[in-house]
Amino acid sequence: MNIHEYQAKQVLKGFGAPVAEGVAITSVEEAEGAARQLPGPLYVVKSQIHAGGRGKGKFKELGPDAKGGVRLAKSVEEAVAHAKEMLGNTLVTKQTGDAGKQVNRLYIEDGADIDRELYLSLLVDRAVGKVAFVVSTEGGMDIETVAEETPDKIVNVPIDPVQGVTEADAKALCDALKLEGEARSDGMSLFPILYKAFMDKDMSLLEINPLIVMENGRLRVLDAKVSFDGNALFRHDDIKALRDETEEDAKEIEASKYDLAYVALDGTIGCMVNGAGLAMATMDIIKLYGKEPANFLDVGGGATTEKVTAAFKIITADPNVKGILVNIFGGIMRCDVIAEGVVTAVKDVGLKVPLVVRLEGTNVEKGKAILDQSGLDITAADDLDDAAKKIVAAVG
Ligand code: ADP
Ligand code: MG
């Protein structure tokens, strides 16, 4: 689960990290009051969307010469003028795709006098099986370019899970970021704070880009992107409350209500599969035969007819879906339950695209009989290969 920058900063502030003062607003009327709560004379008006690259982003409605999604203002009036221009408009950044995201919320923040912009993130490094800091002196808006062109400027510091951030780790991070004087002592206390926040709240990513050294020599968290491990949310009611469903894919929200593991993708073939491994294999074989999957969907081991019906409806509601492949290996899952779910769903929502069903395993004969007797236009397949070929051919 992702949250907004202003929420991430609240969370980090709770652990003692240095963040700027700021006020989140959702209407132009609130802009002046928000700015007046800040010390000034420099303000920053920041679009709150679940995507990065806002500074270099462009508003669709405003044309190519207008300013981006993060704007400096030298007075309260200027901050209000920016808020007026930004709220309600669609911001397109490297991460939003061409459709962009509507900016429904702004964060008006105290402007900082920046000396240097650094990069810092915490992530789960699978290669070493540890949480690791990734840092670079080349922070700011183009870390992707740094990673591509000068990867030696990015330093990785894995953290021992038992010891946590040791003094040696913190020193290594300070050295990598070339921190001196007060910034160095700020760093020595900040790194353990960030690690604690990451672990305590079950984050899967914490990215601060930029972490800045200010002209007064102190460190400040200037941007913050945080993702949480969805499987651990049950023990963090405070984090769950930060969820903003308007930023999420509507189909994924619907799927989560039915406890379906669903991820929306860009292709044309909708997939309904049981088991994550089989779902991955199904996506691979669709690609092998030249098409792209429209989604990943694992209906799970103990799916009911109701769950299968919900899954089918979510797939057919996607306008990109030009064909559907149901691929079930009935182990715990019974094929007749799947067949009933498919039939119920098709009767409910209709079937406007080709449907190929491959069933194998427990109660397969019963399942096939249900599909046969339904009178629906369903193509049966014998195995995974046959199924993929048939759906790719049907979509054309
Ligand atoms: P994004 O990464 O989505 O572009 P950031 O929050 O990193 O958004 O902001 C982009 C740039 O705007 C920063 O790299 C920094 O130069 C500037 N900026 C952001 N917040 C402030 C602030 N409070 N004071 C001064 N400059 C800021
Ligand atoms: Mg940033």
Side-chain angles (χ1 to χ4, degrees), residues 32-343:
E32 185 177 342
R36 291 213 183 280
Q37 289 176 49
L38 302 174
L42 190 61
Y43 307 87
V44 185
V45 185
K46 310 184 78 174
S47 309
Q48 298 299 293
I49 54 171
H50 284 190
R54 298 162 301 165
K56 294 204 164 160
K58 289 286 171 199
F59 283 98
K60 255 191 184 166
E61 295 83 354
L62 302 183
D65 297 330
K67 292 204 171 83
V70 174
R71 300 179 175 191
L72 292 178
K74 295 206 171 76
S75 66
V76 170
E77 291 69 32
E78 201 187 333
V80 173
H82 283 316
K84 229 178 232 167
E85 223 181 73
M86 295 160 78
L87 263 179
N89 279 335
T90 315
L91 185 60
V92 180
T93 81
K94 259 195 235 165
Q95 295 184 7
T96 60
D98 294 340
K101 283 206 157 174
Q102 192 177 41
V103 175
N104 299 318
R105 194 178 266 109
L106 296 172
Y107 192 46
I108 304 188
E109 194 181 62
D110 182 29
D113 294 318
I114 304 174
D115 178 23
R116 290 199 292 139
E117 300 202 6
L118 313 171
Y119 177 90
L120 180 148
S121 64
L122 266 163
L123 44 79
V124 181
D125 186 338
R126 287 165 202 275
V128 292
K130 288 175 183 158
V131 170
F133 280 90
V134 177
V135 297
S136 174
T137 51
E138 312 301 303
M141 295 195 262
D142 266 323
I143 193 67
E144 291 85 359
T145 317
V146 178
E148 258 171 46
E149 290 170 9
T150 46
D152 50 303
K153 291 199 167 152
I154 295 178
V155 177
N156 199 309
V157 180
I159 302 301
D160 184 280
V162 178
Q163 297 188 43
V165 180
T166 62
E167 191 156 332
D169 294 330
K171 278 185 180 160
L173 289 165
C174 286
D175 290 344
L177 292 172
K178 300 193 166 62
L179 298 180
E180 304 291 345
E182 278 194 294
R184 193 169 179 97
S185 41
D186 282 352
M188 292 302 286
S189 55
L190 177 61
F191 304 133
I193 285 175
L194 297 177
Y195 183 77
K196 183 170 169 39
F198 188 94
M199 300 304 281
D200 281 10
K201 297 295 178 191
D202 290 307
M203 294 178 186
S204 51
L205 175 73
L206 165 56
E207 185 180 56
I208 298 172
N209 187 26
L211 171 70
I212 58 162
V213 182
M214 294 190 286
E215 276 171 7
N216 67 9
R218 307 298 301 267
L219 281 188
R220 185 180 272 181
V221 170
L222 211 66
D223 187 9
K225 177 186 171 169
V226 176
S227 307
F228 298 92
D229 179 351
N231 291 319
L233 277 177
F234 72 94
R235 56 185 182 192
H236 300 294
D237 285 339
D238 56 334
I239 301 298
K240 249 198 277 184
L242 302 179
R243 187 164 175 190
D244 180 355
E245 292 200 341
T246 63
E247 289 285 328
E248 295 176 24
D249 185 287
K251 297 186 295 297
E252 290 182 14
I253 294 170
E254 185 65 14
S256 71
K257 283 185 200 156
Y258 290 91
D259 213 13
L260 295 161
Y262 175 91
V263 181
L265 300 167
D266 297 331
T268 55
I269 297 184
C271 310
M272 181 159 86
V273 190
N274 68 324
L278 189 57
M280 298 295 281
T282 305
M283 287 162 49
D284 281 348
I285 203 160
I286 288 170
K287 280 170 174 272
L288 182 71
Y289 286 112
K291 290 283 174 194
E292 296 288 324
N295 66 280
F296 167 94
L297 173 60
D298 171 13
V299 292
T304 57
T305 304
E306 190 200 12
K307 207 166 155 178
V308 173
T309 311
F312 203 83
K313 282 184 183 168
I314 290 164
I315 294 174
T316 49
D318 181 349
N320 293 328
V321 168
K322 304 287 179 252
I324 300 170
L325 174 54
V326 175
N327 182 22
I328 301 293
F329 186 85
I332 302 168
M333 170 60 90
R334 289 161 27 213
C335 293
D336 53 319
V337 170
I338 290 285
E340 257 166 39
V342 169
V343 171

